[in-house]
């Protein structure tokens, strides 16, 4: 492999990933499936922050869990460092388990209430023999200092309930960092935090990314966070990626009607802009993932829906360099007009 | 970037009104220390029965037959002239021993099976579930009667019968705790950092389930004491030993002549069971603060 | 001090309200000297982070504070009637008719074992002398008004059969069914998805036009109120620290906390590389800092801030700020 | 369409599930009983001081000489024809003896059970309304005491006090030894005999139901939808009974249902203490006499009663909570 190819290679490549969860049927009904993730593909380069955005039930968290090996995919492949993750075994698998770490949404739920900070942060080191026995405590203190809990020593013997929400999330971040990962999956890392704490944690994540050369996969519903934190975005709707673009391109010229609606629904902390922008209020709600609509899955709520959308599933098209969208009419005059609401 | 180094003992998230969490976490409990010390006194009393009892509990003629309260027999004497007070102390020894052993055996067995079933799931879990479902429908007390009546009324058989009949309930409790706990985010987090299964069970999950098990064990001890007393009361107790239940059985024909034969041993059972239930309740309030939460009321 | 000249008549006037909670670890001064006003037909927001006491303020206003709460002082005037002096029965009569409330999580705030329609009809039957049939048709009307697509089906549904957005609409229908003049909404969209949040906020605005009610919106999301409210109160640690009309507040925030809050809020309309933050943590509610409660986190802290609580300064044109910087 | 009757569909499913359960119970009971050392022939032989030849004759008569699986096959085959076998001790058909004894137990247990359930619920609701008052604390302590009292000891105490000391009520049996005129005097006579055993049994059950009701009511009253109900302006009674009780009742119904399974266990003690001629005595006598067909018959009847109680509980549960049947 040439050096050039190495530099350009994706750290993570997700191809046609699919996960359906069976739901028990009755004795007269066959079991049905929740289409959690349906045939999604995206890639992530080293050092990049990629966001998967969508509303609840769109499959973004399932995707994160598939990557963290908390669930097994039904179909599709995950390539990490150009190796098929499903085929990893032995030391290579162990290395993957170190390389890919996760930060969880709820800092109250993600720390074991019966273990001290010391025990929580020692665990990954013990699991992987990642530090000398004598140096484990030093490593832990060092981590605490890195995530802004200084001096780390005083937090070592605290239990999670003795910490504030922000501090707990810092512990969660420290735990993800102990094994020196290359990819960190952050599942709504700030959505349960107060606004004033949220900015602190996001700053911390940014600083750590630069220090440790991390790649981030952000799972979030908050477009405000995405614009400031991420490089590229995939927008998910009902298990599918409907638009994939660089952050600036997506926010200035959103192409998919759903992205446009999502953007216009996201609150803007500026009364003048907020009242001037065009608002798109979608009708209805997200259909059940048990029985997703035929054709374009968004057609039941789309303001531009036509017969073709009901019958034919749109495929992802690259309309601008690096900006792909799955919509029959994206780029057409009427649909375009709604875009650019927040330049 | 630094955070304040001061200890923060409250929750600051947008999970709901803060006073709730505070109230729950700091809820004081008086039942546990009271019940705990009562239980300790009871245990000490029966433990030192050999020193405290004035007579051999089996010796005939320690008092006059059906004799009432006197300096010689402070709680009277029974139909064979045995000292009720001495029998009470020695009987308590057996009753409390049966209670604790049965509860211990039940808890160990229930914990083992519940843990395996709850964590592994799959066919192991299916078998346990079917088994306990069937079990719930069998009249358990009658089965205990049969085991003791048919296999012999030794104290070990009684303990065996009680444990074998109560462990599925404990197993179900442990299992359902595990089922909830294993889907918690901190268990996911443990998987992601590559924690071994055994570590997840023993370090991550079990410490969180233990509260429920402890409460259950306390209530089980009470239940086992009642069961033993019941069997003995029906005349199916270990004939070679004095227990509180057996004393009540012996008292039944003499209710008219000697009320003390029934009142004191019954009081013994009642007080111990009450203490254990009180302890279980108190522990439940402490370990499971949600149920002790105060409700809101309009003025 | 009103945004529009026509509503000179005040609807709700809260002054110097103190609600303290007795908890085993001490006293939580959840609401500590709060004064605020809501005029007729106006949309007013109360913004604060978790634990700031904003929800407790709302609950105290309709007198549904928890039993561990004590109201130490204050006056709550609704149409010039002091709610704190009413007996229980008269207070019950006011709830649902004059002042109604919409809560945060539409799942837990609906009775799981009662049909949605029956829960709404109950309000009508309680407050109006109507037959069951009439109540039913009123409820169906209200359902239509809040944009429920098939009112009859929803009427006979149980809450668990409805989606989150639909449940919130049922709760709103319940609140407006007797046409209250004041609607208090406590984080009405926090548990909902963004597109559904837009629907619900849109609905609340439409209803306000139709029914001419005032809206008192309680939220942690300052972005949300930028678009929908006329005036804003900012609350921190049990106290109001700043008040202004929406445009002024966003254009030139006075209180350092408001300033920090605005800077920390991320909007989709601009990319920020390094976020300015408010350092430190929200204070422990049973152990509030001396002086100004914001002083441990304040970048402009002065000696006096540590010792003395700042007075509420009237800056004219309805602006208020509680900060020593402006003394 | 079946889909339109979720409750009916649910009930049918539960009934179909119960059939194999009973089958298993019979097999397990049969195995355990026959695996135990000793048999009815030994017992009869020892009582009648029979010769070894007569003993062998008895074994043959009872079918005990055949292999276990054959015995089980025969038993199950007879069972399919509703034949519960022939009692070795009473020397008459099992079913007849059971039916003979059942009414007395039902009179005692059903009366005590239903009155105690009702009182437990009502007292529990009242206690939850006055949570943490002195009265509530006392009631809770009293209920804990009632719940911790061995049922046979309570019976003995009641006999000591009301029958022997005060001499108000009879202590043993169901009828007076001296004949009483038929008609009302006879009914009154039975009622007099019923009172003490009924109180004995009811105490345990009532305190249990009280404790569960009070606890669940407290939990329910802390839930969000109670706040909604209050914010609608409903008065306290409505909130308590219409909104809280119906939700709190679910676990109470479960406990009552499960507890019905122990009715028979309670009857053994109550009937022993008071010499009440019911099923409880019968099972005890049969065990002592190793009357296998009788024991199996009683087990079957009791197991079916338990299954029935569970079934009724489940269906009641589904009626109260729509979420059960719909899922």
């Amino acid at each position: 492999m040439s050096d050039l190819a190495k530099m350009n290679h994706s750290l993570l490549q997700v191809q046609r990933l699919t996960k359906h969860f069976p739901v028990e049927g009755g004795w007269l009904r066959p079991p049905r499936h929740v289409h959690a993730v349906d045939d999604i593909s995206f890639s992530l380069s080293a050092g990049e922050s990629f966001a998967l955005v969508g509303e609840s039930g769109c499959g973004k968290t399932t995707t994160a869990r598939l990557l963290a090996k908390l669930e097994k995919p039904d179909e599709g492949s995950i390539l990490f460092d150009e190796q098929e993750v499903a085929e990893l075994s032995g030391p290579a698998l162990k290395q993957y388990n170190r390389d890919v770490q996760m930060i969880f949404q709820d800092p109250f739920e993600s720390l074991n209430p019966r273990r001290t900070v010391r025990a929580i942060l020692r665990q990954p080191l013990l699991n992987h023999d990642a530090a000398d026995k004598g140096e484990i405590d030093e490593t832990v203190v060092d981590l605490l200092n890195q995530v802004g809990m200084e001096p780390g020593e005083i937090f070592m013997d605290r239990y999670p309930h003795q910490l504030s929400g922000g501090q707990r999330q810092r512990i969660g971040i420290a735990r993800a960092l102990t094994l020196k990962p290359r990819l960190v999956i952050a599942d709504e890392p700030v959505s349960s935090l107060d606004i004033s704490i949220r900015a602190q944690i996001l700053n911390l994540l940014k600083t750590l990314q630069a220090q440790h050369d991390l790649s981030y996969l952000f799972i979030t519903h908050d477009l405000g966070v995405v614009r400031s934190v991420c490089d590229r975005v995939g927008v998910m709707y009902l298990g599918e990626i409907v638009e994939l673009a660089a952050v600036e391109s997506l926010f200035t010229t959103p192409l998919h009607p759903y992205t446009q609606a999502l953007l216009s629904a996201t609150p803007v902390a500026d009364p003048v802009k907020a009242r001037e922008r065009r608002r798109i209020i979608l009708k209805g709600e997200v259909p059940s993932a048990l029985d997703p609509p035929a054709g374009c899955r968004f057609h039941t709520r789309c303001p531009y829906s036509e017969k073709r959308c009901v019958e034919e599933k749109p495929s992802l098209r690259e309309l601008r360099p690096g900006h792909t969208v799955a919509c029959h009419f994206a780029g057409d005059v009427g649909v375009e007009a709604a875009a650019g609401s927040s330049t | 970037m630094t955070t304040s180094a001061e200890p923060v003992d409250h929750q600051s998230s947008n999970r709901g009104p803060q006073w709730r969490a505070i109230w729950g976490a700091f809820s004081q409990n008086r039942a546990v220390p009271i019940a705990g010390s009562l239980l300790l006194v009871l245990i000490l009393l029966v433990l030192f029965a050999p020193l405290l009892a004035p007579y051999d509990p089996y010796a005939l003629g320690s008092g006059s037959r059906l004799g009432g309260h006197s300096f010689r027999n402070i709680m009277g004497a029974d139909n064979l002239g045995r000292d009720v007070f001495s029998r009470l102390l020695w009987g308590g020894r057996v009753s409390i021993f049966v209670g604790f052993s049965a509860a211990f055996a039940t808890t160990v067995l229930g914990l083992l099976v519940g843990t395996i079933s709850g964590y592994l799931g799959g066919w192991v879990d299916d078998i346990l579930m079917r088994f306990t479902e069937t079990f719930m429908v069998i009249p358990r007390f009658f089965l205990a009667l049969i085991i003791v009546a048919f296999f012999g009324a030794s104290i070990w058989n009684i303990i065996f019968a009680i444990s074998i009949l109560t462990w599925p309930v404990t197993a179900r409790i442990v299992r359902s705790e595990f089922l909830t706990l294993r889907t918690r985010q901190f268990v996911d987090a443990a998987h992601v950092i590559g924690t071994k299964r055994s570590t997840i069970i023993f370090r991550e999950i079990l410490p969180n389930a233990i509260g429920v098990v402890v409460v259950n064990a306390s209530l089980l001890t009470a239940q086992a004491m009642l069961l033993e007393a019941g069997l003995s009361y029906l005349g199916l107790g270990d004939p070679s030993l004095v227990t509180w239940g057996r004393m009540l059985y012996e008292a039944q024909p003499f209710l008219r002549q000697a009320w003390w034969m029934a009142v004191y041993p019954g009081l013994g059972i009642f007080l111990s069971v009450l203490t254990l239930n009180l302890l279980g309740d108190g522990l439940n309030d402490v370990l499971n603060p949600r149920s002790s939460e105060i409700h809101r009321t309009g003025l | 001090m009103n945004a529009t000249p026509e509503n000179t008549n005040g609807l709700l006037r809260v002054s110097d309200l103190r609600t303290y909670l007795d908890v085993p670890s001490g006293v939580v001064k959840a609401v500590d000297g709060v004064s605020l006003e809501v005029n007729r037909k106006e949309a007013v927001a109360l913004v604060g982070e978790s634990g700031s006491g904003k929800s407790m303020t709302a609950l105290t206003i309709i007198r549904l504070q928890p039993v561990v709460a004590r109201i130490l002082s204050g006056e709550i005037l609704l149409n010039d009637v002091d709610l704190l002096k009413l007996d229980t029965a008269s207070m019950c009569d006011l709830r649902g008719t004059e002042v109604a409330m919409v809560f945060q999580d539409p799942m837990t705030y609906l009775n799981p074992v009662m049909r949605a329609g029956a829960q709404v009809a109950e309000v009508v039957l309680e407050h109006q002398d109507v037959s069951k049939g009439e109540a039913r048709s009123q409820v169906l009307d209200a359902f239509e008004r809040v944009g429920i697509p098939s009112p009859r089906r929803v009427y006979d549904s149980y809450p668990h059969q409805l989606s989150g957005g639909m449940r919130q609409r049922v709760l709103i229908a319940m609140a407006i069914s007797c046409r209250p003049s004041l609607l208090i909404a406590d984080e009405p969209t926090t548990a909902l998805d963004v597109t559904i949040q837009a629907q619900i906020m849109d609905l609340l605005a439409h209803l306000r036009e139709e029914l001419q009610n005032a809206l008192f919106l309680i939220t942690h999301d300052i972005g949300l109120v930028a678009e929908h409210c006329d005036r804003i109160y900012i609350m921190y640690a049990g106290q109001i620290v700043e008040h202004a009309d929406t445009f002024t507040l966003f254009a030139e925030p006075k209180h350092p906390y408001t300033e920090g809050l605005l800077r920390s809020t991320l909007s989709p309309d601009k990319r920020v590389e390094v976020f300015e933050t408010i350092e430190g943590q929200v204070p422990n509610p049973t152990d509030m800092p001396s002086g100004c409660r914001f002083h441990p986190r304040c970048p402009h802290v002065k000696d006096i801030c540590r010792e003395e609580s700042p007075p509420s300064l009237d800056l004219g044109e309805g602006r208020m700020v509680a900060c020593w910087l402006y003394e | 369409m079946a889909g339109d009757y979720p409750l009916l569909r649910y009930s049918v499913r539960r009934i179909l599930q119960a059939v194999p359960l009973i089958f298993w119970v019979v097999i397990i009971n049969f195995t355990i009983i026959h695996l135990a050392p000793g048999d009815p022939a030994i017992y009869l032989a020892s009582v009648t001081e029979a010769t070894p030849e007569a003993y062998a004759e008895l074994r043959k008569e009872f079918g005990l000489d055949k292999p276990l699986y054959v015995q089980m096959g025969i038993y199950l085959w007879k069972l399919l024809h509703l034949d519960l076998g022939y009692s070795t001790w009473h020397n008459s058909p099992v079913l007849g003896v059971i039916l003979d004894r059942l009414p007395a137990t039902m009179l005692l247990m059903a009366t005590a059970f239903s009155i105690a359930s009702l009182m437990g619920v009502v007292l529990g609701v009242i206690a939850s309304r006055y949570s943490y008052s002195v009265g509530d604390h006392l009631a809770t302590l009293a209920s804990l005491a009632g719940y911790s009292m061995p049922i046979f000891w309570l019976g003995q105490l009641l006999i000591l006090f009301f029958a022997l000391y005060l001499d108000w009520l009879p202590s043993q049996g169901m009828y007076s030894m001296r004949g009483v005129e038929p008609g009302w005097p006879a009914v009154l006579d039975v009622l007099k005999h019923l009172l003490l055993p009924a109180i004995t049994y009811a105490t345990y059950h009532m305190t249990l139901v009280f404790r569960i009701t009070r606890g669940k009511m407290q939990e329910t009253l802390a839930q969000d939808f109670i706040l909604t109900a209050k914010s609608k302006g409903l008065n306290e009674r409505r909130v308590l009974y219409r909104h809280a009780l119906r939700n709190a009742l679910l676990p109470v119904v479960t406990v009552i249902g499960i507890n019905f399974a122990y009715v028979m266990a309670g009857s053994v003690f109550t009937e022993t203490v008071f010499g009440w001629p019911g099923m409880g005595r019968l099972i005890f006598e049969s065990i002592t006499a190793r009357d296998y067909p009788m024991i199996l018959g009683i087990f079957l009847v009791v197991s079916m009663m338990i299954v029935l109680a569970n079934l009724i509980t489940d269906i009641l549960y589904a009626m109260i909570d729509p979420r059960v049947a719909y899922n």
Side-chain angles (χ1 to χ4, degrees), chain B residues 20 137 140-142 149-150 230 233-234 248 252 255-256 262-263 266-267 270 274 277-278 281 292 296-297, chain D residues 36 132 144-145 148 150 152-153 156 160 164 211 224 227 230 262 264 269 273 284 287 290 295 299 306-307:
Chain B
R20 262 204 209 188
V137 176
R140 258 179 288 169
F141 179 69
F142 294 175
F150 288 12
Y233 170 75
L234 292 174
L248 287 181
Q252 182 76 6
L255 278 183
R256 196 173 287 275
V263 169
L267 207 60
F270 169 60
L274 181 65
N277 281 334
L278 203 63
D281 263 23
S292 69
R296 322 175 204 198
T297 313
Chain D
Y132 302 102
L144 197 64
S148 305
F152 37 94
W153 186 54
Q156 289 181 331
L160 277 173
L164 301 180
R211 285 165 55 75
D224 293 335
L227 205 56
K230 285 178 184 166
Y262 302 117
M264 284 297 159
F269 295 121
V273 178
F284 184 61
I287 287 173
R290 304 271 162 128
I295 297 171
F299 265 47
I306 294 173
V307 170

Side-chain angles (χ1 to χ4, degrees), chain A residues 55-56 194 200 203 282 285, chain C residues 50 163 193 195 199 275 278:
Chain A
E55 297 178 281
S56 53
D194 273 323
Q200 294 176 4
N203 270 341
L282 289 178
E285 303 185 27
Chain C
S50 60
S163 67
D193 273 325
T195 57
Q199 290 176 354
F275 315 115
I278 305 175

Side-chain angles (χ1 to χ4, degrees), chain C:
Chain C
M1 60 182 283
N2 307 303
T4 40
E6 62 183 70
N7 28 349
T8 43
N9 47 346
L11 172 65
L12 174 76
R13 190 184 300 264
V14 175
S15 42
D16 194 32
L17 187 66
R18 275 170 224 278
T19 309
Y20 290 7
L21 306 179
D22 294 315
V23 297
S25 57
V27 176
V28 174
K29 297 177 179 175
V31 181
D32 206 6
V34 163
S35 301
L36 52 84
E37 278 183 19
V38 179
N39 295 319
R40 285 186 193 284
K41 304 174 198 169
E42 201 186 15
V44 176
L46 180 61
V47 178
E49 293 180 283
S50 60
S52 61
K54 55 188 193 304
S55 290
M56 196 55 68
T57 307
L59 288 175
T60 312
I61 289 172
I62 57 167
R63 282 183 42 195
L64 289 177
Q65 71 280 14
V67 275
V68 293
R70 278 179 294 139
I71 301 174
L72 267 78
S73 73
E75 223 180 23
I76 302 168
L77 297 177
L78 183 72
N79 284 325
D80 297 323
V81 177
D82 190 348
L83 299 187
L84 291 179
K85 295 206 173 91
L86 288 182
D87 60 53
T88 313
S90 331
M91 190 64 221
C92 280
D93 289 341
L94 281 182
R95 286 185 204 131
T97 53
E98 274 301 300
V99 50
M101 192 147 173
V102 176
F103 296 96
Q104 178 172 2
D105 180 352
M107 179 76 242
T108 59
Y109 282 97
L110 280 172
N111 189 338
V113 303
M114 251 173 116
R115 292 181 197 272
Q119 296 192 45
V120 182
E122 211 180 20
V123 197
V124 179
L125 289 167
E126 179 78 20
H127 295 297
Q128 295 173 16
D129 192 19
V130 292
S131 71
K132 283 199 170 167
E134 266 172 86
R136 185 187 159 90
S137 64
Q138 276 193 37
V139 172
L140 290 174
D141 279 352
F143 277 0
E144 221 152 297
R145 205 185 278 278
V146 298
I148 290 174
S150 43
R152 275 162 209 288
R153 190 182 59 78
V154 171
Y155 193 100
D156 290 322
S157 299
Y158 287 101
H160 74 273
Q161 296 170 301
L162 302 173
S163 67
M166 218 42 82
R167 285 193 286 255
Q168 193 57 281
R169 284 174 199 269
V170 170
L171 273 176
I172 292 173
M174 192 185 287
I176 59 148
S177 59
C178 292
R179 307 204 163 204
S181 43
L182 174 63
L183 183 62
I184 302 177
D186 185 2
E187 305 263 16
T189 60
T190 306
L192 303 174
D193 273 325
V194 184
T195 57
I196 308 299
Q197 162 170 297
Q199 290 176 354
I200 297 292
M201 290 312 297
D202 201 48
L203 171 66
L204 286 174
H206 276 299
L207 287 173
R208 203 156 64 84
E209 259 170 47
E210 262 181 67
L211 306 176
Q212 304 278 303
N213 62 296
L215 177 67
F216 185 42
L217 181 70
I218 289 147
T219 181
H220 69 279
D221 187 350
I222 201 157
L224 198 64
V225 302
E227 189 163 349
H228 293 96
C229 293
D230 304 323
R231 289 189 294 119
I232 298 176
Y233 290 92
I234 305 282
M235 197 164 179
Y236 183 80
Q239 297 171 330
I240 304 273
V241 295
E242 184 164 6
H243 162 236
D245 76 83
T246 305
F247 290 94
T248 317
L249 189 97
F250 278 89
E252 35 170 332
K254 294 278 188 200
H255 198 283
Y257 174 67
T258 315
E259 225 182 314
L261 201 60
L262 285 174
R263 277 200 317 246
S264 320
T265 303
L266 297 177
S267 256
D269 61 332
K270 56 180 186 290
R271 184 176 173 101
V272 181
E273 287 304 333
V274 176
F275 315 115
E276 296 187 59
T277 61
I278 305 175
E279 292 305 326
Q281 315 279 340
V282 177
N284 184 337
T286 53
D287 185 21
M288 289 289 186
S290 60
C292 172
R293 292 185 180 170
F294 188 62
H295 87 252
R297 305 176 73 185
C298 184
H300 312 296
V301 62
K302 298 191 288 188
D303 283 344
I304 190 164
C305 304
R306 298 196 179 88
E307 283 144 25
E308 263 182 78
S309 188
S312 299
L313 298 171
D314 191 343
L315 302 180
E317 290 169 23
R319 292 209 70 174
M320 185 283 277
V321 67
C323 177
W324 285 115
L325 288 176
Y326 304 95
E327 178 66 69

Side-chain angles (χ1 to χ4, degrees), chain A residues 11-312:
Chain A
L11 178 68
L12 178 76
Q13 246 180 313
V14 172
Q15 284 162 354
R16 317 213 64 170
L17 194 64
T18 298
K19 177 74 187 176
H20 292 180
F21 293 103
V23 176
E24 223 171 299
W27 10 295
L28 297 175
R29 265 184 317 209
R32 300 196 295 168
H33 290 88
V34 173
H35 297 234
V37 174
D38 241 347
D39 194 13
I40 67 166
S41 307
F42 62 89
S43 63
L44 198 157
S45 346
E48 193 183 28
S49 292
F50 180 78
L52 275 182
V53 179
E55 297 178 281
S56 53
C58 72
K60 55 190 195 299
T61 295
T62 306
T63 309
R65 293 175 62 85
L66 288 168
L67 293 176
K69 298 198 73 120
L70 288 169
E71 304 278 356
K72 283 201 176 79
D74 292 339
E75 275 166 55
S77 81
I78 301 167
L79 295 178
F80 187 78
D81 242 355
E82 306 193 325
Q83 282 184 303
E84 177 59 52
V85 171
E87 287 161 10
L88 294 177
S89 62
L93 179 64
K94 220 165 159 117
Q95 189 57 44
Y96 180 81
N97 283 340
R98 292 181 65 160
D99 282 343
V100 178
Q101 287 300 318
M102 191 156 169
I103 299 169
F104 292 84
Q105 172 176 7
D106 188 338
F108 292 83
E109 268 283 297
S110 65
L111 302 181
N112 189 337
R114 307 263 168 191
R115 304 194 82 184
T116 58
V117 169
R118 184 195 304 267
I120 289 169
L121 293 180
R122 277 168 64 113
Q123 193 65 54
L125 297 169
L126 294 174
N127 290 345
H128 292 271
D129 284 324
D132 285 339
K133 283 264 186 265
E135 288 166 15
I136 284 186
D137 276 359
E138 277 170 52
T139 316
V140 171
V141 169
D142 186 44
L143 273 165
L144 284 170
N145 291 335
Q146 275 188 49
V147 296
M149 296 185 62
E150 289 170 298
E153 284 85 353
I154 65 163
F155 293 101
M156 292 285 271
D157 294 307
R158 300 247 174 107
Y159 283 92
H161 69 88
Q162 293 170 309
L163 304 172
S164 71
Q167 289 173 331
R168 276 182 244 200
Q169 197 58 307
R170 286 171 198 268
I171 302 292
I173 293 170
R175 173 173 57 194
L177 287 181
T178 36
L179 295 170
K180 303 192 168 55
R182 293 160 69 194
L183 171 64
V184 171
I185 303 165
D187 185 2
E188 306 266 15
V190 294
S191 66
S192 61
L193 301 174
D194 273 323
I195 293 165
S196 67
I197 308 297
R198 206 175 275 196
Q200 294 176 4
I201 297 295
L202 288 172
N203 270 341
L204 173 65
L205 288 173
K206 278 195 154 184
T207 316
L208 292 171
Q209 177 168 37
Q211 277 174 10
H212 296 268
D213 207 11
L214 297 171
S215 304
Y216 282 133
L217 175 65
F218 267 90
I219 307 293
T220 181
H221 68 275
D222 188 345
L223 285 171
V225 170
V226 171
R227 180 147 199 189
S228 293
V229 176
C230 300
D231 305 318
R232 286 198 306 125
V233 200
V235 179
M236 287 188 81
Y237 185 80
L238 258 182
E240 297 178 333
I241 290 186
V242 295
E243 188 164 1
L244 203 58
V247 159
E248 282 311 304
S249 184
L250 186 104
F251 279 80
T252 49
T253 48
L255 293 172
H256 198 283
Y258 176 65
T259 314
Q260 293 168 2
L262 202 60
L263 208 51
S264 98
T266 306
V268 172
D270 181 337
V272 183
K273 273 190 194 169
R275 289 168 204 222
E276 273 173 1
R277 67 179 173 159
R278 208 190 118 182
R279 312 213 34 211
I280 307 167
I281 304 286
L282 289 178
K283 55 188 175 190
E285 303 185 27
V286 185
S288 162
L290 268 175
D291 195 10
C296 172
R297 287 192 178 170
F298 186 56
H299 83 250
T300 55
R301 305 173 76 196
C302 182
Y304 313 106
S305 173
E306 284 181 24
K307 195 158 162 262
R308 185 177 168 200
C309 306
V310 184
E311 288 162 357
E312 193 187 326

